[in-house]
Amino acid sequence: MDAASFSGATPPSPPPSPAVDVVLPCLDEAGALPWVLARMPSGYRAIVVDNGSTDGSAELARSLGAVVVDEQARGFGAACHAGLSAATAPVVCFCDCDASLDPAELPYVADPVLAGDADLVLGRRRPATLGAWPPHARVANRVLARRLRARTGARLHDLGPMRAARREDLLGLGLADRRSGYPLEMVVRAAEAQWRIRETDVRYLPRTGRSKVTGTVRGTITAVRDMSAVLARV
């Protein structure tokens, strides 16, 4: 007989399962993590996927209560898929970990999925300041969104990184890209599966720290190349 039974005390209840898991791909985001994790809504569990950080991001995330997954294979898609594979909640969100998106707004994308009104919801980024979204990145996004509409018929204006869908359905899509084309492949495969795809506005804020993709012309070109390759392949 254990101590709790002997004393008549009620054993502690296990922690409640999260309603939503939030995958946060992370590469050297120690400056943003405290704000990002503090803004996580109740019932949402943060899964920080460390993709080779050298600034202590993984240790910091653990100390702040996040689940941390170490993904050694470099690439945005590799980090996203590792987080999806580690998730256990019925609905999974994806969100950038650089404070450019406010986790407090995650219910905007997750609620329609939780309610059964949509299968995939993307956050359409609305810049909060003039400098939040560099012109070269905005133009590239507009071109890719136009190509995606022509390819899938989905009425989307942004390949926004904040999004939500059901975990089992996402795994069933068989997403293969492990680079910057992962978000676009998700939409293409979802459209092919006749998912109900929606878009909702979210704020886009100036990121914290150095940008790896949209903040640089080189990073944007690489992302466009990866996404174009996905469109040609799938």
Side-chain angles (χ1 to χ4, degrees), residues 144 147 181 184 221-233:
L144 285 167
R147 293 177 62 186
L184 184 143
I221 291 172
T222 299
V224 170
R225 185 185 300 124
D226 288 348
M227 293 185 181
S228 296
V230 169
L231 283 174
R233 184 172 65 247

Side-chain angles (χ1 to χ4, degrees), residues 106-167:
L106 283 166
Y108 295 159
V109 297
D111 282 354
V113 178
L114 288 165
D117 296 329
D119 301 311
L120 174 64
V121 180
L122 281 70
R124 182 180 183 179
R125 290 168 288 183
R126 297 294 194 179
T129 66
L130 290 176
W133 201 349
H136 63 270
R138 191 182 305 197
V139 170
N141 180 76
R142 186 179 300 125
V143 171
L144 285 167
R146 186 181 303 120
R147 293 177 62 186
L148 189 62
R149 287 197 301 273
R151 170 66 182 273
T152 67
R155 301 183 64 180
L156 299 175
H157 302 83
D158 183 14
L159 300 177
M162 182 184 281
R163 52 184 63 191
R166 284 181 289 274
R167 174 182 174 274

Side-chain angles (χ1 to χ4, degrees), residues 7-44:
S7 65
T10 302
S13 300
S17 298
V20 178
D21 277 330
V22 183
V23 176
L24 298 158
C26 177
L27 177 58
D28 294 331
E29 302 292 3
L33 275 168
W35 184 86
V36 169
L37 295 178
R39 301 283 293 174
M40 204 63 56
S42 176
Y44 287 60

Side-chain angles (χ1 to χ4, degrees), residues 50-63:
D50 188 71
N51 203 208
S53 298
T54 59
D55 67 347
S57 288
E59 294 78 7
L60 176 60
R62 287 190 184 96
S63 73

